[in-house]
Amino acid sequence: MSFRPSFRLLVLAAAVAVAVAGAVVASDVRAVAAACGTADVAANRPATASSTENAGTPASAAVDGNAGTRWASAFSDPQWLQVDLGASASVCQVVLNWEAAYATAFQLQVSSDAATWSTVYSTTTGTGGTQTLNVTGTGRYVRVLGTARATGYGYSLWDFGIHTTGDAGGDPGPVISRFKKVAASSYEGGNAPAAALDGRTTTRWSSLASDPQWLQVDLGGRATITGVTLNWEAAYATGYRIEVSDDAATWTPVYSTTTGRGGVENLAVSGTGRYVRMYGTARATGYGYSLWEFEILGTVDDSATTPPLLSAPTRPPTTTGQFALSAPADAAMVTTTRRPALSWAAVSGTARYQVWINVSRTDYDFTRSGNLIDLYTKVAEPTGTSYTPTWDLPDRWTYKWFVVAVNGAGTTTTSNIRTFSVYLPALENVADGVGIVNGSRDLNKNGTIEPYEDWRRPVETRVNDLLGRMTAEEKAYQMFYNAQSFPRSGWHFGPSQAPDLHATLLASSGTRLGIPFVSAGDTIHGYQTSYPTQSALAAGQNYGLDYRLGDMQRREQLEVGTRGVLGPLAEVGTKVLYPRIQEGNGENADVAAAQVRALVAGLQGGPELNPGSVLATVKHWPGEGAGGEALIVYDAVTIKYHMIPFRAAMEAGAVNIMPGYAGSSLLDPGGPGAGDSAPILAYLRQNLGFTGLITTDWLPSGSWVGAANAGSDVMGGADPGAPGFTMAQFLANVPIARIDDAVRRVLRLKFTLGVFETPYGDPVNGPYRQHTPAYAALANQASRESLTVLKNDGVLPIRLNRGDNIVVAGPRATDGLACCIWTSYFHQEYGSKTILDAIRARAATAGVNVYQDTGPAPKLAVVAVGEGSYTHATSWVKEQPYLPPDQLAVIQNFRNQGIPVVVLLVLPRPYVISEWNGLANAIVVTYRGGEEMGPAAAGLLFGDYQPRGRLPWQLPRSLDQVLRPGGTDVPADATENWDLPYDLGATAAQRAEIRARIDAGQSPATTYGNPLYPYGAGLQSW
């Protein structure tokens, strides 16, 4: 099952306007289809139901267009699901896509008022599956009324589709304005314009108390508008117009009234345009205009921004250069159009040409090695020798393309490969004292545009010009953090709230050269929406989902202008006692590589850093998972294994790497930690060929000079105002050539990000476009897919009778912070719950009572144990990786009473669980499951979906597989090899085999050793 937040209900309420009154007319499907609309008018409309089985199966899930989400009712008869189409319409077809729990007897009914219903279809022999039913009736509301169930469960629909004719109300289409860009003539208080587009009737836009006032939505593309819904607060408009525009300059009215009544107004309007606005001319009160929601219905044509994908992502042919490309010139910078004309030399006998471009995609094979930027997509097959893209190319610096000529016999010849860039920024013009001169931002405010200010010039030209204008002190500041206090600093340590970040960005614009900073924080598993940690994602192994999570974080950060993140980790976690193993990718280097490729590409929004990217900071070089933050112990063989995900990050286009605190016994024997070790950094530059930025971890001020001289470019988190430190001291001890080398990389990165043109986000409206229900659903999916069932003797899924009792206990049951680490923020209003609250909500839909800690005659105990939130240090002694006595006692207590026990295990690192493994009837590992950990776990317990997570590490059978008796966390006391995967309890011969496979460039088997639970353990069905 898939959990869908309450947003689906709100969306549904705006789109389904069908109340059908009439009789059933059986007819040939093909005949009806000819007159029946093809659009599903129930999509994203308000839906309600007689009941829901649990929070993860709301009514809205049947109309959300997601085949993986469903509505499910309580286990009784009758039950119904109802959709509000928003206006009366002629219903001609209903499509029911049943889950296994279907109806054998049901009716389809329509109504004009949701009170009096007319039946338009009835059966007592329902077959389940997908039923396409042709009906005739008119109404605003449509419902399916189930009277007999095929199973002992309730009724369950994946999808409830409704189709209408154009006779009465037509097809209003889905809501297309939700979370789109917005502008307004004014707003007052905290009632931002975007509050009218967030799907919630608890937030509102409110204007100043004067006429006229307007609220404008950018739909993102030219749209066909079929309806508008205005949900007014008490301060409504009596006179207003609905207007559309293609350019937000010239407006065409599509509706006008002087008798507005307030409340909810459903307007049957039609028109086309990219922009829609409500233009108020007369207020009903002495206050301004105030809208809870402004909903626009219809469809958006996204063809102008969507490339044709006529092939999978593909490597170029082995043989190229057989004929020439003509235009654009190689390495050309396109600054005048997003659709540059491509042309090439004719090839005799060619029947058609294939045009291949390395467009950004979401469906790369992240398990495959090689640079993502060298994957091409066929986008066209013209017969002539030119092609102009039919879509707008987004800003990118390295478009690569080639052409294949295909003759009549199918023989091909291939052109050379050339590159070009596209950059057409929309300049930000805020009240920051920076004017626009000749189409560029006048950053130094001298009235002319210098080369570094001219975005039409190549990046290297701008870098060279700006570097030549900077004083030594201005250069040095670019290597430091704390722009909050020092506006000339190159970096800002986030996250901070949107208004605070915006104020700091404004301060940086007032510096002599106006160089923007980049804000980056430890939001390593989400910004405003917290998804599971990387070790949990490694249990799910859904790399396409990992990409979407990275992309989600990118979008959330761009909303408010924060352009960096101090993640992801590229570490393979092969040392059990490393506390930060929870932040890594498990102990499989191939899984780690695929996951890192996906996260980096998602954060960047493509295969390279570009003006729409969030800067990924890949860490901790050179792989602390093989030793921790003290000493990395791999040797000349096993280093190959730990380099795999770092190479993958570079293949995904990562340009910023953070060295960790640990030194390396191989790369710099007896030397310092990686951030100030010249040999360790040289290995990154010389052996891996990394040319990007090196940002240290948080080092003390006494290490900054040494780190810079060792080759680090940015002093991570470094405060120029630190006690005992002066910039003059730094300049006196770091050669200017080294500073120039570092600052050149910093500036290159900033120009590539486009922050000189677009330094700001939208601190007023941007937060309303964060943590959307769709984003919460992604976090929920990631948590569901990571949850790992290690054992189950049949107690799961929970199938108790109504009125039965269960107990939820353990310290993690009410610990809302155990889901997450570091500094991501998340919001309770979209359903994030503790484990206890989530189980209580889910159980209520099944009529099961939930008690905390103790209760009368419980049929089951769910015990949530494990460590609370931590990062650098564990919650209890790291050399004791097992449950402490008080937590073990909770499990033992219920078992002593003869009560079946399900253990929900918050597992940030591998534990020894042997002493209680036999006490548990079922064990479910949640890891750090992100903000949706509680609801996801509750859904799994009640069988809303099948388990699929697999353990990302081995679990020790006993502590002596990790440490000698009485040992501490030092290499001499270790019985596992910190640098080897899959070696808990392994023999010397097995360890030799693992090393031999690594040395040969092969992936070692995951079945070595003698752990209690092996790598990859996890039941895949009930």
Side-chain angles (χ1 to χ4, degrees):
M1 317 303 160
S2 177
F3 173 75
R4 301 293 292 182
S6 59
F7 165 72
R8 294 295 305 141
L9 296 173
L10 297 169
V11 173
L12 288 170
V16 183
V18 180
V20 184
V24 178
V25 177
S27 60
D28 182 81
V29 173
R30 291 167 295 178
V32 172
C36 211
T38 58
D40 177 9
V41 299
N44 296 320
R45 296 302 304 177
T48 53
S50 52
S51 67
T52 57
E53 182 183 0
N54 59 67
T57 57
S60 58
V63 289
D64 62 1
N66 185 339
T69 62
R70 64 184 180 101
W71 164 67
S73 76
F75 304 168
S76 61
D77 295 307
Q79 299 290 339
W80 51 264
L81 176 68
Q82 167 185 317
V83 179
D84 175 5
L85 300 179
S88 184
S90 294
V91 178
C92 51
Q93 190 177 87
V94 173
V95 180
L96 302 172
N97 184 0
W98 295 99
E99 195 249 1
Y102 66 94
T104 55
F106 65 90
Q107 301 168 26
L108 297 178
Q109 299 177 319
V110 296
S111 173
S112 59
D113 57 7
T116 302
W117 294 90
S118 298
T119 299
V120 297
Y121 178 86
S122 181
T123 185
T124 58
T125 58
T127 59
T130 299
Q131 294 180 275
T132 301
L133 307 170
N134 300 311
V135 301
T136 298
T138 301
R140 171 173 174 162
Y141 302 90
V142 182
R143 77 175 179 181
V144 55
L145 174 66
T147 56
R149 292 165 288 138
T151 72
Y153 301 107
Y155 299 89
S156 184
L157 280 166
W158 294 112
D159 190 63
F160 182 21
I162 300 170
H163 299 266
T164 62
T165 66
D167 295 336
D171 177 3
V175 176
I176 56 177
S177 51
R178 190 79 76 233
F179 303 111
K180 294 297 176 67
K181 298 292 185 180
V182 63
S185 52
S186 65
Y187 73 98
E188 56 88 23
N191 301 311
L197 305 175
D198 67 353
R200 290 181 289 176
T201 54
T202 56
T203 61
R204 64 187 174 95
W205 164 66
S206 179
S207 77
L208 297 178
S210 61
D211 294 310
Q213 299 288 340
W214 51 264
L215 180 68
Q216 168 187 313
V217 182
D218 178 359
L219 299 174
R222 201 162 196 268
T224 299
I225 297 146
T226 54
V228 171
T229 296
L230 301 169
N231 186 348
W232 294 101
E233 195 249 1
Y236 66 94
T238 56
Y240 65 89
R241 301 191 300 268
I242 304 297
E243 300 176 321
V244 297
S245 174
D246 287 327
D247 58 7
T250 302
W251 295 91
T252 301
V254 294
Y255 179 87
S256 181
T257 185
T258 57
T259 57
R261 65 182 187 279
V264 177
E265 295 186 279
N266 295 300
L267 310 178
V269 303
S270 61
T272 58
R274 173 170 175 162
Y275 303 88
V276 180
R277 74 176 178 182
M278 186 288 299
Y279 192 87
T281 56
R283 290 166 288 133
T285 72
Y287 300 103
Y289 300 88
S290 185
L291 279 166
W292 294 113
E293 283 296 296
F294 180 31
E295 295 179 329
I296 301 159
L297 286 63
T299 56
V300 178
D301 181 3
D302 62 359
S303 62
T305 56
T306 304
L309 304 179
L310 306 182
S311 73
T314 304
R315 301 288 177 195
T318 303
T319 302
T320 61
Q322 295 172 299
F323 63 96
L325 301 177
S326 303
D330 197 23
M333 184 171 177
V334 178
T335 60
T336 58
T337 177
R338 295 196 177 278
R339 302 186 181 188
L342 310 177
S343 61
W344 52 89
V347 177
S348 178
T350 296
R352 70 184 188 281
Y353 296 92
Q354 299 173 345
V355 180
W356 295 78
I357 306 177
N358 65 341
V359 296
S360 298
R361 302 184 62 142
T362 63
D363 60 347
Y364 298 112
D365 180 358
F366 293 107
T367 65
R368 186 177 179 183
S369 61
N371 294 331
L372 296 182
I373 204 165
D374 291 326
L375 292 171
Y376 296 79
T377 298
K378 182 170 63 175
V379 297
E381 291 192 299
T383 57
T385 58
S386 65
Y387 170 71
T388 299
T390 58
W391 78 101
D392 292 340
L393 293 170
D395 291 337
R396 270 211 13 221
W397 303 104
T398 316
Y399 281 106
K400 298 185 176 183
W401 68 294
F402 64 88
V403 175
V404 174
V406 184
N407 66 20
T411 303
T412 62
T413 56
T414 304
S415 74
N416 56 330
I417 297 175
R418 296 217 305 202
T419 67
F420 64 89
S421 62
V422 172
Y423 192 40
L424 284 83
L427 301 184
E428 291 185 334
N429 188 9
V430 301
D432 61 355
V434 176
I436 305 297
V437 177
N438 296 329
S440 292
R441 283 171 53 82
D442 182 18
L443 297 166
N444 64 2
K445 298 168 281 293
N446 68 351
T448 62
I449 296 302
E450 320 293 353
Y452 85 92
E453 299 167 326
D454 186 353
W455 55 267
R456 298 169 183 83
R457 294 177 182 263
V459 166
E460 290 305 312
T461 299
R462 300 179 71 184
V463 169
N464 291 334
D465 179 71
L466 180 52
L467 196 65
R469 296 175 186 274
M470 299 170 72
T471 66
E473 187 174 68
E474 286 170 331
K475 292 175 182 177
Y477 268 107
Q478 288 298 305
M479 301 173 68
F480 283 80
Y481 268 73
N482 200 15
Q484 293 95 317
S485 301
F486 298 89
R488 289 188 295 173
S489 291
W491 303 83
H492 169 277
F493 182 46
S496 62
Q497 294 299 319
D500 297 332
L501 175 61
H502 190 71
T504 308
L505 284 165
L506 289 172
S508 74
S509 71
T511 60
R512 185 178 76 91
L513 295 170
I515 303 173
F517 60 78
V518 171
S519 177
D522 279 305
T523 51
I524 65 171
H525 62 126
Y527 186 64
Q528 292 285 347
T529 305
S530 299
Y531 49 86
T533 52
Q534 286 179 232
S535 56
L537 296 180
Q541 293 185 33
N542 184 340
Y543 310 122
L545 176 60
D546 296 342
Y547 177 94
R548 293 193 295 276
L549 294 170
D551 182 65
M552 171 188 75
Q553 181 168 350
R554 177 182 71 90
R555 294 173 186 272
E556 287 195 331
Q557 292 195 208
L558 288 177
E559 291 290 355
V560 294
T562 178
R563 301 299 301 275
V565 59
L566 301 177
L569 273 73
E571 294 180 4
V572 188
T574 55
K575 178 191 173 187
V576 167
L577 295 184
Y578 178 32
R580 300 183 71 174
I581 197 172
Q582 65 174 335
E583 299 174 53
N585 304 278
E587 61 182 315
N588 186 314
D590 295 325
V591 169
Q595 191 156 287
V596 169
R597 285 189 194 96
L599 288 170
V600 169
L603 287 165
Q604 291 175 163
E608 68 170 346
L609 199 71
N610 64 74
S613 294
V614 160
L615 174 68
T617 305
V618 178
K619 59 188 189 184
H620 299 94
W621 173 259
E624 290 181 347
E629 296 183 334
L631 182 66
I632 300 168
V633 299
Y634 50 58
D635 57 24
V637 172
T638 52
I639 189 176
K640 298 177 183 179
Y641 191 76
H642 290 270
M643 290 300 99
I644 289 173
F646 282 98
R647 293 183 188 278
M650 294 168 60
E651 290 173 345
V655 294
N656 191 17
I657 289 180
M658 176 181 286
Y661 293 121
S664 168
S665 57
L666 171 68
L667 302 180
D668 190 3
D676 46 3
S677 166
I680 293 176
L681 300 185
Y683 189 94
L684 176 61
R685 295 283 190 212
Q686 296 166 14
N687 293 66
L688 269 68
F690 182 66
T691 60
L693 199 70
I694 296 177
T695 299
T696 73
D697 212 326
W698 271 220
L699 297 175
S701 59
S703 298
W704 296 342
V705 167
N709 285 328
S712 291
D713 303 311
V714 174
M715 308 299 106
D719 178 5
F725 175 82
T726 66
M727 198 61 76
Q729 177 189 36
F730 185 81
L731 287 166
N733 289 278
V734 181
I736 191 63
R738 171 78 269 271
I739 291 174
D740 281 351
D741 178 53
V743 176
R744 184 177 296 278
R745 290 192 182 92
V746 172
L747 297 180
R748 181 182 298 123
L749 183 149
K750 290 183 177 182
F751 283 121
T752 302
L753 278 173
V755 294
F756 285 84
E757 285 68 59
T758 55
Y760 307 107
D762 184 346
V764 173
N765 296 300
Y768 288 89
R769 295 187 287 266
Q770 297 171 331
H771 203 270
T772 69
Y775 292 164
L778 268 182
N780 185 271
Q781 179 186 351
S783 186
R784 292 196 316 269
E785 294 187 4
S786 70
L787 295 181
T788 303
V789 180
L790 290 182
K791 65 177 292 188
N792 179 31
D793 67 3
V795 71
L796 294 180
I798 298 172
R799 294 300 187 199
L800 300 179
N801 296 321
R802 300 184 75 83
D804 284 344
N805 300 333
I806 64 175
V807 171
V808 178
R812 303 288 77 81
T814 56
D815 183 355
L817 299 179
C819 68
C820 306
I821 57 174
W822 286 112
T823 48
S824 294
Y825 300 104
F826 61 96
H827 306 276
Q828 296 298 322
E829 66 264 27
Y830 281 117
S832 301
K833 296 179 176 68
T834 64
I835 287 172
L836 172 64
D837 289 340
I839 293 176
R840 182 171 280 150
R842 174 60 183 88
T845 67
V848 174
N849 305 310
V850 174
Y851 294 87
Q852 183 177 357
D853 297 333
T854 186
K859 296 294 182 68
L860 182 72
V862 178
V863 181
V865 293
E867 287 175 281
S869 183
Y870 69 78
T871 298
H872 286 269
T874 54
S875 294
W876 53 77
V877 178
K878 69 170 178 279
E879 289 88 352
Q880 299 173 4
Y882 39 77
L883 293 184
D886 60 329
Q887 296 193 26
L888 178 61
V890 180
I891 300 171
Q892 183 72 65
N893 176 56
F894 286 112
R895 189 57 185 254
N896 291 344
Q897 298 176 60
I899 300 169
V901 177
V902 175
V903 174
L904 284 181
L905 180 59
V906 176
L907 189 71
R909 56 186 175 125
Y911 290 166
V912 178
I913 67 171
S914 299
E915 62 181 326
W916 58 267
N917 180 60
L919 300 177
N921 298 85
I923 300 174
V924 178
V925 180
T926 70
Y927 311 99
R928 301 272 189 220
E931 64 179 68
E932 287 292 308
M933 183 175 78
L940 180 68
L941 296 182
F942 280 87
D944 294 342
Y945 56 92
Q946 298 283 341
R948 60 157 289 178
R950 296 182 184 275
L951 197 65
W953 327 278
Q954 295 177 318
L955 292 191
R957 185 172 295 276
S958 57
L959 186 57
D960 62 9
Q961 290 185 332
V962 178
L963 281 177
R964 293 186 177 91
T968 59
D969 183 18
V970 295
D973 288 344
T975 55
E976 65 159 332
N977 279 25
W978 287 357
D979 56 336
L980 284 183
Y982 323 124
D983 79 320
L984 293 181
T987 65
Q990 287 179 320
R991 285 173 171 152
E993 288 181 26
I994 296 172
R995 289 178 55 83
R997 292 188 66 87
I998 291 172
D999 198 27
Q1002 301 169 347
S1003 298
T1006 62
T1007 53
Y1008 292 105
N1010 183 33
L1012 179 65
Y1013 284 101
Y1015 173 88
L1019 303 179
Q1020 298 297 292
S1021 63
W1022 294 123

